[in-house]
Amino acid sequence: MLYDCRSLAERDRGIAAAIEAVKNGELIVLPTDTVYGVGADAFTPYAVTAMLNAKGRGRNVPSPVLVGSRHTLDGLVFTLPQAARDLVAAFWPGALTIIVEHSPSLQWDLGDTSGTVAVRMPLHPVALEVLRETGPMAVSSANKHGQPAAVTAEEARDQLGYAVRAYLEAGPCPDPVPSTIVDLTGEVPRVVRQGAIPWEKLRDVVPDLQAQGG
């Protein structure tokens, strides 16, 4: 079912349907500030597997996790490096994904993660409203593996079809550039994917940040 969240009444219905679907272990497509994402409850392993299957992607490419608030991050990690706290304070919500070591006690299975997780808080009101009710969601770009990323929910539906329970349409993504990814699990913070936030801006916050390939 596709809900047009540009209409207030349909937005409320769509968000309610999406929250219910996630809690039932089903997949949804939601808008973010980068591209549309297909998501599932991060703590429901069969739902995460269904998401990877819908995309045609293997466990060797683990799913990032979206959160609805900065405070949620503290519940996912054992310890958070100061550089991570500084980057989150400066760029969340926004197009920054950070890779950190997750707490060993978490009961989730996102794929072959080697004890790490990529986390982001998106700057989109629809996504945040859903995430604040569902909790952390495993979310990946809403397209078949190898196909272009969807910039509307309708494009996502053309690719993912009936594998997804609820599609939340909020119009074309204003800036469909993927998030910048920073790995904070090593001795020195390192950019592993160039994206919407330029390295120079990140370096203003974390001066020892290494550029991709640096």
Side-chain angles (χ1 to χ4, degrees):
M1 180 80 178
L2 189 143
Y3 299 89
D4 190 342
C5 294
R6 293 166 293 190
S7 149
L8 197 56
E10 201 160 329
R11 172 188 166 128
D12 289 346
R13 282 199 303 272
I15 287 174
I19 292 166
E20 183 182 7
V22 172
K23 290 182 175 178
N24 287 338
E26 297 175 292
L27 306 185
I28 67 167
V29 161
L30 73 170
T32 77
D33 47 338
T34 55
V35 295
Y36 276 74
V38 56
D41 176 30
F43 295 99
T44 304
Y46 70 81
V48 177
T49 299
M51 186 195 72
L52 293 174
N53 290 343
K55 281 184 63 73
R57 175 175 275 182
R59 288 174 51 80
N60 60 314
V61 186
S63 172
V65 169
L66 293 188
V67 296
S69 81
R70 295 174 187 171
H71 303 298
T72 306
L73 185 61
D74 290 320
L76 301 180
V77 297
F78 191 58
T79 56
L80 198 61
Q82 187 58 48
R85 293 193 183 280
D86 293 343
L87 288 169
V88 163
F91 298 107
W92 276 17
L96 173 69
T97 299
I98 59 170
I99 299 175
V100 291
E101 293 180 9
H102 69 70
S103 175
S105 63
L106 288 184
Q107 298 298 308
W108 64 12
D109 182 6
L110 302 172
D112 302 330
T113 65
S114 304
T116 65
V117 63
V119 192
R120 183 165 93 84
M121 180 182 176
L123 180 59
H124 196 290
V126 172
L128 291 175
E129 201 168 331
V130 172
L131 288 162
R132 283 169 184 153
E133 290 297 323
T134 62
M137 284 180 60
V139 178
S140 188
S141 57
N143 55 280
K144 289 283 191 186
H145 187 53
Q147 296 296 311
V151 296
T152 66
E154 197 165 347
E155 280 185 20
R157 185 173 62 176
D158 289 343
Q159 294 192 48
L160 301 174
Y162 292 109
V164 172
R165 179 61 183 266
Y167 290 86
L168 301 182
E169 179 67 83
C173 297
D175 189 20
V177 179
S179 64
T180 301
I181 302 178
V182 176
D183 187 344
L184 293 147
T185 61
E187 290 289 314
V188 179
R190 188 168 55 90
V191 173
V192 294
R193 183 176 76 186
Q194 302 279 2
I197 300 175
W199 175 70
E200 295 80 11
K201 278 194 174 181
L202 298 167
R203 191 92 192 262
D204 288 343
V205 176
V206 180
D208 62 343
L209 179 71
Q210 298 222 333
Q212 188 175 27

